[in-house]
Each structure stands twice: as C-alpha cells, then as structure tokens.
C-alpha cells in the first residue's frame, strides 16, 4: 500500500511541477511548495525497507541559505560525506547501528532550515539493449544521414567550439575516433580525472555524439564538437542520485573540480534513468538549464508507457528511439513527456580498447540529439535551452504534431538549421541480408563471407558480415535510395562470387533477403 501511494504521489507532484519526495518547511505537519500542500507523513515510508533502492544510511539534504549545517548533523547524528555547493546540498552519512534513513527524515521535519531531504537512491539503468552484432570495424552508420547531419557538415556546421558532456560510465579517451575530440574529464566516484570506461556504455554514446571524421571507423553527429567525459559509475558500484547530480554540476561548473572553465558544457547527455523522482537530480538539472546548458535524457527501454527520470523532468529534452525506417523502435518507452526521437536501433559506434559494435537503445538515440544540439549551438550561439528544445520539436518529422510514441517525431537537423534539401533525400529504405549455407543446410548462418550491394553494377556501399566468432551471417545496408537495379552479391573472403540476387528497395521499409552461400552458377 505504501509503495503504491508513494509512487502515485511522486508521479502526481512531478507533473504538477511539484515535489514527489520528502519536503520540509518549518515545523508543521504539512509542507508547502508552489502553493500546494504535501502531507509528509504519507510520503515518508515507515521503514527503510519500503524505500526505493538506496545507499544504506545515506540521505541528501538541501539547506536553506544561511542555515547552520551543525544543527542538521546534530539532529540526525551524521557527518557530511559530500557537498554540492552550487545547489546548497549535502550528502550525510548517518552514524550508529540503526542508521535509519526514514527515522532521520522524520526527525528533519522538526529541524528548521532543511528545504528538502530524501534517501540517496540507486538503481538507475543505462538504456542499452544487448549487442546485436559482435564488435567489428566495417560497420554501416545510418544515424547522421537519417537526421540530416551530413547536410549540416556540407554547410560547414560541425559543432566546432561546442562542448558535449557525456555523463555516463566514462569514455575510452584514447580511442582513435575520439582522442581528437577529448577534453580532460572527471570521475565523481573517486574525485579524480580518471574516466576509464569499465562498462563500455559511455564510449559508445560519445562516439555517436562526436566521433571525429579523422578517425578510423565512424563519425559522430557533431564531428568537431569537444567531448567532456564525466564518470558517475565505479567499477563495482551502481549509479546514485548524488553521483548524477554531481556529474551534471561538474559539466556546468568544471572549475569547481579543477578543470578549465572553458570545459563548461553546452549540452549534457544523460543516457540513463530510473523510475523514481529525485529532488537532488531535479535541482541539478534546473541549475544546468538556468546556466544556459541544454539537458538531453533517454526515455528508457520499457517498450511501453512508463515514467523515467531524468527524462520526465521539466525542461529536459526526452528522447525516444526509432529504427532505420523512422518507425518507433520496439523497445522505446512512450509517454506524454517525450520530446523527440532519433535513431536508436542497430547503432554502430565506438567501444573501449579501440573496438566498435552495434547497440540498440534509447541510450543510443539520445547522443544523436545531443550532437544535433551541438550543431544548432554552433550556428545559433545565443539560443537558450528552451529555444533549442522548441526548435528541435517544431522541425522534427511530425512537423509540429505530437504523439506519445515519438513525441514530435524523428529530429531533422537540416530543417532545424534552415537548410533546404530535396524530398528525395528522405526516400530511402534498408536492406537486411542473411547468408546461409547451401547444399541442404539452408538456414545455417555463414559469417565468413562478404556481402556487396551493387546498383547498376556499381558498388555504392559494402559491408562484411563478419569474421569473428558469434556473428550471425547478417549484413545491413541503411539509407539506400528507393528504386530498382540493386543486386546483392555474396563472395567468399578471397573475392570469389558465391551467390547474388536482384532486389527492389522501397522507401521507409526494410527489404529482407536470405541468400544461400555457394548457390551461384558462376
């Protein structure tokens, strides 16, 4: 009962622009924020076991200005283990064997000066799906073209001078596609500049947003933007409210942790989220937006309508995922708070140790939007976060219309930048080629082959299905102009033709073909 009530209150207060976690004002039984009453006894569970996932014995407290920290610490018997001065917030570790967070929250109701307090929640997820291919270099990107970024590059709009903060699992700063774009980053877990990416998620996200055109395997949406990597995940820890808020504020005020002031972010990418409201993260997001920083966050991979934060915070650009044909990716979370969508299915990008891979997820869609924001801020330097959000929404594929599946639609960078392009640019489809064994073994994948796409006997693009163990003999071609005259040719690794088949490409559809290896008459 309590859990359902807490979640209901959190959702209700959040979309009313109100607080969904313990809020304290004065010593009365009811708190007030934005003119709306909050019954704290209903919001605070009876025991810590009824709280959402959290760091045991820790709470986050925002103090009113001029309030003595000593009075708060004495009341709850705790010590300060972290502080975020720009939002006047402290992290308190409780002493004693009990270390009851809920008891401490109730105690703080009677302490003047505590603006709000809540547990240091954990359980945030990185919104990626399983790797759909083993890592390999000869990948095919479709995201930059699909959102019109290539048109911007042709106009000299590349994100130069713009900083994208990747608040994530860290980044492989030595990756050949990223090293030229990299600024000195920060690790909020151990307060160092070591942003080693133990998980790999942040490296993939960074490549999508801003991999250099001078690299080896891919190019990011804003290929001349700078990357500020901020690690909020330790090698053996999850993600907490405090770490996310800390990471956001490092992006806004890099000088506070010893980084150059010039490293201040123009846009923050948050490819993560959780089902619980955090006033700490909300305040950090508010501070970022007030300091002219755009905040972009992933909707989630729940495949249905679900509330996830920070995507649901007001002012954030909440991003859903589309497939190569602009339909909603099956995993993408929906909801009334979605802003726009971007490519998030089978996205090729960088991975640690100079590798590459394809991943699915709204985590992959979000840096497409962060990169698009960098291009917009390259051209329109004085544009505010709310103006950037509005521009992306009104120029997206729905042309001002809204639905809970894709928001205002798949982003269109060219339109946002006022660049006119022909309608034929968007009349493209995709091709999925599965190579299987011949000689009575149909259906068995053959990964040791090359697949080449020909148009009128000329190879416009090609991709290897893979030579690594685990690759399933599948090749994809994206953004192929609609029409006839296409031939898919399969060769062995020595170049000998094994089979080929003629196909027709239909706009906004995926053409799937299965070819038997060794069935050619040649």
């Amino acid at each position: 009962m309590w859990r359902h009530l807490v979640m209901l209150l959190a959702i209700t207060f959040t979309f009313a622009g109100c607080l969904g976690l313990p809020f304290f004002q004065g010593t009365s039984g009811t708190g007030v924020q934005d003119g709306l009453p909050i019954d704290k006894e209903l919001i605070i569970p009876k025991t810590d076991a009824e709280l959402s996932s959290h760091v045991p014995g820790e709470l986050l407290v925002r103090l009113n200005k001029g309030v003595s920290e000593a009075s708060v610490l004495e009341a709850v018997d705790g010590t300060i283990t972290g502080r975020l001065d720009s939002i006047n917030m402290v992290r308190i570790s409780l002493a004693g064997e009990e270390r009851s967070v809920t008891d401490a929250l109730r105690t703080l109701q009677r302490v003047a000066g505590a603006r709000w307090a809540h547990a240091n929640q954990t359980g945030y997820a990185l919104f990626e799906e399983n790797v759909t291919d083993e890592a390999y270099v000869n990948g095919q990107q479709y995201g930059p073209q699909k959102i019109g970024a290539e048109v911007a590059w042709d106009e000299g709009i590349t994100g130069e001078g713009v900083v994208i903060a990747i608040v994530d699992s860290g980044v492989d700063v030595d990756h050949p596609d990223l090293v030229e774009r990299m600024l000195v980053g920060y690790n909020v877990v151990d307060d160092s500049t070591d942003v080693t990416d133990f998980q790999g998620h942040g490296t993939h996200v960074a490549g999508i947003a801003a991999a250099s055109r001078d690299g080896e395997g891919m190019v990011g949406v804003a290929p001349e933007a700078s990357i500020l990597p901020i690690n909020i995940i330790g090698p053996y820890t999850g993600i907490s409210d405090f770490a996310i808020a800390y990471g956001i504020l490092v992006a806004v005020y890099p000088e506070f942790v010893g980084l150059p002031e010039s490293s201040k972010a123009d846009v923050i990418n948050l490819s993560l989220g959780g089902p619980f409201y955090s006033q700490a993260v909300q305040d950090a997001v508010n501070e970022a937006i007030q300091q002219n920083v755009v905040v972009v966050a992933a909707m989630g991979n729940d495949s249905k309508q679900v509330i996830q934060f920070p995507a649901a915070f007001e002012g954030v650009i909440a991003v859903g995922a589309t497939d190569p044909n602009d339909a909603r990716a099956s995993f993408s979370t929906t909801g009334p708070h979605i802003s726009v969508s971007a490519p998030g299915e089978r996205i090729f990008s960088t991975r640690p140790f100079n590798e590459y891979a394809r991943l699915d997820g709204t985590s992959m869609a979000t840096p497409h939007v962060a990169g698009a924001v960098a291009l917009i801020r390259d051209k329109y330097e004085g544009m505010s976060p709310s103006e950037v959000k509005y521009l992306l929404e009104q120029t997206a594929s729905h042309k001002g219309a809204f639905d809970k599946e894709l928001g205002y639609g798949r982003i269109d960078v060219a339109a946002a930048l006022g660049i006119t392009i022909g309608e034929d640019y968007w009349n493209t489809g995709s091709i999925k080629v599965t190579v299987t064994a011949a000689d009575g073994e149909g259906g068995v994948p053959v990964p040791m082959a090359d697949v080449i796409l020909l148009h009128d006997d000329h190879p416009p693009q090609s991709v290897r299905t893979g030579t690594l163990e685990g690759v399933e003999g599948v090749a994809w071609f994206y953004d192929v102009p609609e029409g006839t005259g296409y031939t898919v040719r399969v060769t062995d690794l020595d170049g000998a033709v094994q089979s080929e088949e003629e196909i027709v490409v239909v706009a906004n559809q995926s053409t799937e073909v299965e070819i038997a290896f060794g069935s050619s008459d040649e």
Side-chain angles (χ1 to χ4, degrees):
M1 175 67 179
W2 279 96
R3 291 179 185 272
H4 294 300
L5 182 57
V6 171
M7 180 55 70
L8 177 60
L9 286 168
I11 293 173
T12 301
F13 290 143
T14 297
F15 285 100
C18 210
L19 180 63
L21 282 170
F23 177 85
F24 313 123
Q25 183 168 346
T27 57
S28 63
T30 300
V32 177
Q33 180 171 335
D34 296 338
L36 298 176
I38 302 174
D39 189 330
K40 300 186 295 296
E41 291 300 331
L42 292 179
I43 296 174
I44 302 174
K46 292 181 179 179
T47 68
D48 287 14
E50 296 176 87
L51 290 169
S52 57
S53 174
H54 64 283
V55 179
E58 282 190 4
L59 68 156
L60 306 178
V61 182
R62 180 165 183 173
L63 305 175
N64 290 323
K65 291 185 178 180
V67 171
S68 169
E69 296 174 352
S71 62
V72 173
L73 296 177
E74 182 179 356
V76 298
D77 189 16
T79 57
I80 293 177
T81 56
R83 61 174 71 247
L84 300 176
D85 291 337
S86 56
I87 58 173
N88 211 34
M89 189 194 85
V90 293
R91 180 180 60 188
I92 295 176
S93 181
L94 302 175
E97 295 183 2
E98 295 295 327
R99 305 182 73 207
S100 171
V101 172
T102 49
D103 285 349
L105 294 176
R106 276 184 282 273
T107 297
L108 285 176
Q109 289 179 319
R110 301 185 295 273
V111 177
R115 185 171 178 179
W116 56 254
H118 64 74
N120 188 15
Q121 300 166 115
T122 58
Y124 288 92
L126 302 172
F127 294 134
E128 67 176 3
E129 297 288 301
N130 292 331
V131 177
T132 50
D133 283 327
E134 294 293 331
Y136 61 98
V137 175
N138 297 21
Q140 278 280 313
Q141 288 183 264
Y142 72 94
Q145 183 189 24
K146 180 63 71 175
I147 67 174
E150 292 181 336
V151 176
W153 305 340
D154 291 341
E155 297 291 325
I157 305 170
T158 58
E160 184 177 5
V162 179
V163 176
I164 304 174
I166 306 297
V167 179
D168 211 289
S169 63
V171 174
D172 180 358
V173 299
D174 295 319
H175 196 289
D177 286 354
L178 302 176
V179 64
E180 290 188 3
R181 308 268 58 87
M182 202 62 55
L183 301 174
V184 175
Y186 199 75
N187 185 327
V188 305
V189 178
D190 60 15
D191 287 315
S192 74
T193 56
D194 181 5
V195 293
T196 301
D197 188 2
F198 292 97
Q199 200 274 348
H201 185 270
T203 300
H204 200 271
V205 168
I208 297 166
S212 170
R213 283 185 288 186
D214 297 328
E216 297 180 359
M218 64 165 300
V219 59
V221 173
E224 293 190 13
S226 297
I227 299 170
L228 175 63
I230 300 175
N231 188 355
I232 59 171
I233 309 174
Y236 308 108
T237 62
I239 310 171
S240 70
D241 289 338
F242 183 79
I244 296 175
Y246 192 177
I248 291 170
L249 294 173
V250 167
V252 178
Y253 300 108
E255 67 274 16
F256 287 0
V257 294
L259 300 181
E261 189 174 352
S262 59
S263 295
K264 176 185 175 180
D266 296 286
V267 54
I268 296 172
N269 188 99
L270 299 170
S271 288
L272 51 86
F276 33 78
Y277 182 92
S278 167
Q279 190 64 40
V281 178
Q282 172 73 87
D283 284 6
V285 167
N286 290 347
E287 183 70 13
I289 293 173
Q290 289 169 7
Q291 297 301 318
N292 200 35
V293 181
V294 179
V295 180
V296 185
M299 280 289 291
N301 295 356
D302 293 279
S303 73
K304 56 186 181 297
Q305 182 169 317
V306 175
I307 301 298
Q308 297 277 6
F309 301 96
F313 289 143
E314 185 177 355
V316 170
I317 301 177
V319 183
T322 55
D323 68 13
N325 299 312
D326 279 349
R328 181 178 72 89
S330 60
F331 53 80
S332 187
T333 298
T334 65
H337 58 293
I338 187 173
S339 177
V340 292
S341 297
E345 186 175 290
R346 297 187 60 82
I347 302 301
F348 183 82
S349 188
T350 48
R351 293 289 272 186
F353 307 110
N354 300 345
E355 292 187 350
Y356 304 83
R358 291 190 191 279
L359 293 180
D360 296 340
T362 54
S363 276
M364 288 61 253
T366 304
H368 279 92
V369 176
V373 171
L375 297 179
I376 291 171
R377 291 208 131 178
D378 181 358
K379 181 173 182 178
Y380 306 117
E381 294 183 12
M383 190 169 284
S384 70
S386 61
E387 289 171 332
V388 171
K389 183 173 185 287
Y390 182 78
L391 178 62
L392 280 171
E393 291 173 346
Q394 296 305 304
T395 57
S397 59
H398 286 2
K399 304 305 180 186
F402 176 86
D403 64 57
K404 292 188 289 186
E405 299 280 310
L406 297 176
Y408 288 91
R410 188 257 306 131
I411 59 169
D412 181 345
V413 174
L417 296 173
I419 301 171
T420 302
I421 58 177
E423 288 297 323
D424 290 345
Y425 182 89
W426 306 110
N427 293 335
T428 61
S430 61
I431 305 169
K432 178 183 179 181
V433 183
T434 303
V435 183
T436 58
D439 303 325
E441 298 182 16
V444 179
V446 177
M448 304 289 286
D450 277 341
V451 179
I452 300 173
L453 179 63
L454 303 174
H455 187 246
D456 295 334
D457 294 325
H458 297 287
Q461 49 188 331
S462 64
V463 62
R464 177 169 296 184
T465 59
T467 59
L468 301 177
E469 181 180 356
V471 179
E472 298 181 348
V474 176
W476 283 85
F477 301 90
Y478 301 111
D479 290 310
V480 182
E482 67 175 343
T484 59
Y486 289 101
T487 301
V488 172
R489 176 177 295 170
V490 179
T491 73
D492 60 26
L493 298 185
D494 294 324
V497 176
Q498 298 295 313
S499 50
E500 61 181 29
E501 183 170 329
E502 293 184 359
I503 61 171
V504 176
V505 177
V506 180
N508 300 314
Q509 292 186 25
S510 180
T511 301
E512 299 189 11
V513 57
E514 181 175 318
I515 298 181
F517 186 83
S519 62
S520 174
D521 295 331
E522 293 187 29

